Amino acid sequence: MSILITGLDQIITFKKSNAPLRGCDMRDINIIKRGAILIDGGKIAAIGKEREIKKHNISKKAKHIKMRGVALPGFVDSHTHAVFAEPRLKDFSSRVSGASYQEIKASGGGIISSINAVRKQSPKKMEEQLLGRAKKFLECGTTTAEVKTGYGLDFKSEIKILQVLKKASFKTPLEMPATLLSAHSVPPEFKKDTKKYLEFIMAEILPFAAQKKLAVFADIFCEKGYFSAKESFKYLSQAKEYGLIGKIHAEQLSNSGAIAAGASAGAISADHCDYADSRDIKAAKETGMVLTLLPASNFYLGISKYPNARKMIDSGAAVALATDFNPGTSPCLNMQEVLSLASINMGMTCEESIAASTINGAYALNISDKTGSLEVGKQADVAIFDAEDYREISYYFGDNLNLMTIKKGKIVYKKCI
Ligand code: NIG
Ligand code: FE
């Protein structure tokens, strides 16, 4: 089916098409006023001024939609932990009373407190819950969301999550690349023996997930009390041998050498980066590893220190933005909120935030040749917002301005007005 959308106040495209965008290229956008998008066979067939696009051959037979709004590439949320069984309300109460993430962990909360419910959850219930969340991502204008394991932490449960994810992928238009994050924390049955648990993941879970093609990426939480830089390097190097692309939770609560470890192991992204220093930024720039910033987790944990996005962008490192949607540090799946936080707390311009949450997110998922920007020939992954100016998407917060989401050329969400 072909669709012609006309009447749009603005369509945002990038001047450079080489992903990832860096430095001033992140701010270099084209604003097409009174624009039109022509979609055919799931792809963008033409994009530009309404009067030009209307003349296109395909436009004549296309279903015509006339609407106001600002069209962006659908958000590519490159970091989520969208499979968890329960919210962590006890942790939330402690948080509200001033406890830090580390204090919450020490008192029995944190990642480990999420595993019982996930281990007990039936695949059917898990799938229903995930599909419900996928619907919300789409409603907020996200057309791709990476999803990690990491709340099962034993063979059966981690594989259950990956299998559910695979099955659910056929039932939602949301694209959900899978990441194995069994190295999220050491489960209680390993009695704090990190070495033994990591060996177990590397011998059992990693090869199985890779051979069965259940995951595209492998991630590890590199932090004091979780996994060291040395262990992360070893794990990511082995993952690479199995054909999984590396990602690393890096320098979130302290600088533990995670970015350096990720860069040497050929990881595609280092995520969080709150404590990244100049050497880390240089290493990321030189290796092309994306620095994925997750300001919703800082906001939720009440941390006043945010990643130094300005320094990262101005130094020429590739920067992406994502929600980090999870029950412990970021119960937020709306990328619009992340854009607001990126501007308010990290000094990112509205243009940089858009590039970071679309084309650079796609690059961090190794799919920037297919999605992340509105370009002829790419997947028609589009979100249209109730705004006259793209900056309103960052300016308003706590609202969902999305009017319509299109995934691979199909309208998958339309706001009832
Ligand atoms: O990205 N830092 C590690 N993982 C998550 C938090 C997980 C949790 O607390 O449940 C994060 O912030
Ligand atoms: Fe995370």
Side-chain angles (χ1 to χ4, degrees):
M1 210 220 345
S2 320
I3 304 177
L4 171 68
I5 307 170
T6 61
L8 295 164
D9 294 276
Q10 294 184 336
I11 302 174
I12 305 301
T13 63
F14 303 114
K15 285 203 183 138
K16 303 266 162 47
S17 61
N18 51 308
L21 294 177
R22 299 163 183 274
C24 51
D25 287 349
M26 289 181 78
R27 300 186 283 275
D28 213 2
I29 59 165
N30 278 315
I31 304 168
I32 307 170
K33 290 188 183 150
R34 286 282 129 193
I37 306 175
L38 180 63
I39 296 168
D40 185 50
K43 298 201 168 139
I44 297 177
I47 190 159
K49 285 277 186 201
E50 198 177 290
R51 58 177 187 279
E52 300 296 325
I53 305 303
K54 273 182 167 171
K55 289 184 208 151
H56 201 287
N57 271 346
I58 301 169
S59 291
K60 311 212 166 52
K61 56 155 188 163
K63 173 186 156 129
H64 190 174
I65 299 173
K66 204 167 184 288
M67 68 187 286
R68 303 288 304 264
V70 173
L72 295 190
F75 292 123
V76 180
D77 188 347
S78 59
H79 183 135
T80 90
H81 306 247
V83 177
F84 58 89
E86 291 172 347
R88 293 219 298 268
L89 301 177
K90 208 165 150 251
D91 287 13
F92 182 54
S93 301
S94 313
R95 237 302 293 122
V96 171
S97 316
S100 68
Y101 188 64
Q102 293 93 322
E103 285 162 349
I104 291 171
K105 181 194 182 209
S107 65
I111 296 167
I112 295 304
S113 65
S114 279
I115 66 177
N116 281 342
V118 167
R119 286 179 178 182
K120 272 194 238 139
Q121 196 176 39
S122 71
K124 189 168 174 276
K125 181 82 196 89
M126 188 178 272
E127 186 187 297
E128 275 168 22
Q129 203 178 36
L130 179 60
L131 289 173
R133 289 173 184 154
K135 193 163 168 268
K136 289 189 187 180
F137 276 105
L138 292 166
E139 280 169 15
C140 293
T142 298
T143 46
T144 303
E146 177 255 20
V147 179
K148 302 176 194 295
T149 71
Y151 293 117
L153 308 188
D154 61 17
F155 183 89
K156 217 171 119 215
S157 314
E158 288 288 294
I159 299 301
K160 172 175 73 180
I161 297 171
L162 290 175
Q163 283 167 339
V164 164
L165 192 47
K166 190 166 185 180
K167 224 172 132 205
S169 296
F170 295 106
K171 300 185 182 173
T172 170
L174 183 71
E175 211 169 322
M176 299 189 290
T179 298
L180 182 77
L181 176 61
S182 305
H184 200 190
S185 193
V186 180
E189 57 272 25
F190 277 83
K191 298 187 172 47
K192 298 199 167 103
D193 193 339
T194 310
K195 189 167 173 267
K196 204 162 154 210
Y197 178 58
L198 202 63
E199 275 166 9
F200 160 72
I201 305 173
M202 286 166 43
E204 308 279 336
I205 310 183
L206 199 67
F208 188 87
Q211 276 149 19
K212 299 278 177 201
K213 298 208 179 316
L214 290 170
V216 184
F217 304 97
D219 193 349
I220 184 161
F221 185 14
C222 182
E223 187 64 63
K224 241 180 262 141
Y226 298 86
F227 299 92
S228 69
K230 212 169 143 199
E231 287 162 342
S232 302
F233 175 76
K234 201 170 153 199
Y235 166 82
L236 292 176
S237 304
Q238 165 144 11
K240 197 172 165 191
E241 278 177 33
Y242 279 111
L244 296 184
I245 303 171
K247 285 185 169 283
I248 185 162
H249 277 70
E251 335 296 8
Q252 180 181 10
L253 308 165
S254 62
N255 189 304
S256 55
I259 291 182
S264 347
I268 198 162
S269 75
D271 302 32
H272 284 286
C273 310
D274 302 36
Y275 286 84
D277 60 24
S278 305
R279 266 192 314 181
D280 295 328
I281 297 173
K282 193 162 171 264
K285 186 188 167 185
E286 282 167 3
T287 56
M289 186 173 69
V290 180
L291 301 175
T292 301
L293 312 183
L294 310 165
S297 64
N298 300 68
F299 171 78
Y300 175 81
L301 292 177
I303 297 172
S304 53
K305 179 181 160 55
Y306 278 73
N308 194 343
R310 274 275 46 93
K311 187 166 174 183
M312 294 171 193
I313 294 173
D314 297 342
S315 315
V319 169
L321 284 170
T323 60
D324 195 17
F325 177 53
N326 78 76
T329 67
S330 181
C332 167
L333 54 68
N334 187 350
M335 283 295 284
Q336 298 163 59
E337 188 73 32
V338 173
L339 264 60
S340 299
L341 292 170
S343 287
I344 301 299
N345 294 305
M346 301 198 294
M348 284 175 68
T349 68
C350 300
E351 299 79 17
E352 287 168 345
S353 298
I354 291 172
S357 58
T358 57
I359 188 68
N360 285 6
Y363 184 81
L365 294 181
N366 204 27
I367 49 174
S368 56
D369 56 331
K370 296 194 203 83
T371 189
S373 55
L374 301 177
E375 282 177 74
V376 172
K378 273 195 167 181
Q379 273 175 206
D381 294 354
V382 190
I384 301 170
F385 297 90
D386 183 11
E388 288 177 19
D389 185 303
Y390 66 96
R391 290 169 294 188
E392 290 174 52
I393 301 163
S394 305
Y395 167 82
Y396 289 106
F397 63 93
D399 195 0
N400 177 12
L401 297 187
N402 187 36
L403 292 173
M404 184 183 279
T405 308
I406 299 170
K407 179 66 184 174
K408 293 186 182 164
K410 288 207 178 79
I411 299 169
V412 294
Y413 167 73
K414 195 167 169 223
K415 189 173 191 169
C416 305
I417 341 170

